[in-house]
Amino acid sequence: MTSEPVLLGNSPVRIRRPIRHGLLMVAVLGVLTSSLTALALYRVIALSSALRLEHARDSTAEELARLTATPPATDTPPPNIIGMRGGLATDAAAIAASVPPTWGPPLVDLTTQAQRIGKRIDVDVAIPGARLIASAQPTAGGRTAWVASAVRPSPYLRSWRVLVAALTVSALLLVIAALTSLVTLKRGAGMLLDATRALAIDLKAPVPRPPVSELAAIGDGIATLARHLAEARQAQERLGRDLARQERLAALGRVVAGVAHEVRNPLASIKLRLDLAASPSSASSSAPPLPPQAAAAIAHASAEIARLDGLVADLLTLSGRALGQRAPMDLSDLARRRAEALAPWAALRRVTIRVAADGTATPPIVRADADRLARAIDNLLRNAVEASPDGGVVDVEVDAADTHPSDGQIHLRVLDRGAGFPAGRAGELFEPFFTTKPDGTGLGLAISRAIAQAHDGALTYGRDGAVTRFDLTLPRETGAGDSTAAGVVRKVDKASA
């Protein structure tokens, strides 16, 4: 019979002969070997005892034949065998006086019966610690020839019995050990098999460690394999999401590139004509100046055209187009100026924007496209203000260049105390056109993240208790002077205004 466990897949692993069969075979062979050995020892013990008794009987018969052949007037010599007693006696009581006390009664009975019936009698009786082999036969002259010998157990009998008992106990222990190992092994294998079935559904399922060290090592290997598979699956899913996002951005880039080409040219022409109409040098000296309402309308239209041009530029950045010219700048100073620019708008919503002071001597200098980076910070501040409750505070924290010397990054964090995003949709925050606001476009965070990535940085979202955190990370710039950075920041501030 074969077992076919399935290990993390549909292909069964065929096991030709389960290991329990081998363990049972070992137990059976061990019991059989021990039983045969014990039986052989028992037969040896029995044969040895039988041989000793047979030898005693033969010796007794020979000695009795010698005694009966002795002439009546001749003295009887003692037996030639050590431990054997014998002689010619006319009185049974005299025999009892010449032998050990345990021999007396059987010999007296033996000689008495031999004299009474007038022929040879042999006896084999048990006495304390031995067996008494004796023979008696009447002879001429009214005497009785008698011979007796005590056959004691072999001195090795006790050790042989201990050996047989030890073999029996060893066989029992072997059976118990084999059954215990079989149960333990089967239980551990079942645990691992259940774990593999669970891992086929969920790679995060726990893998037990059976009590058998070999199975425990296999369990550790399965757990390591499952962990690597889970990590590979997560990496695959992450790569799939990134690939899908890149495909969406590529499609968006192709659309944006065409739209930008078709929109920017008319916008530039319209703006040029509005600037010519509003410029005093474009009108003749005799032409009256434009009415204030017309001048204000032209200025408003120019501002809207500039806003539309900035939106087109943001979309180009989102689609992966290159940034503008980069220069060293103080990120803390830029964040403070953008917070001051948005402070009146935030005040209308009863929200305060607060920028933490930098307590270090080294300014946080980054090399960036000033306009695009200011746009990203504005998006983060606007989202934080809109998410804050009435009377709330938005905190802006910028780490100095020497705060994170190990990773070479500068962090700008925007913190608010709003409700945050739904936990199940946090992964969609930076997707284009995703928004939780009724009047939102879903481009602010996507554009900000694209700007950060275009600067070799990152934008991440986190939730610490009741605080929502957006962390803008940029590589720090080394070797840039403070005056250069400050000049760039002021230029950005004027352009943004």
Side-chain angles (χ1 to χ4, degrees), residues 84-154:
M84 182 178 289
R85 304 291 180 91
L88 295 172
T90 57
D91 185 8
I95 299 176
S98 62
V99 296
T102 57
W103 295 22
L107 290 178
V108 170
D109 293 341
L110 177 65
T111 55
T112 302
Q113 292 180 10
Q115 291 174 355
R116 185 175 66 251
I117 63 178
K119 62 180 183 180
R120 174 180 172 179
I121 297 178
D122 299 323
V123 295
D124 182 354
V125 296
I127 61 175
R131 292 195 68 83
L132 182 64
I133 306 298
S135 298
Q137 181 177 352
T139 62
R143 296 186 300 178
T144 302
W146 64 274
V147 179
S149 176
V151 181
R152 301 184 181 279
S154 172

Side-chain angles (χ1 to χ4, degrees), residues 328-331 362-367 400-401 410 475-478 480-482 485-486:
M329 58 182 303
D330 188 337
L331 185 60
T362 306
I365 304 300
V366 297
R367 179 174 290 274
I410 295 178
R476 63 178 179 176
E477 177 71 10
T478 57
D482 296 346

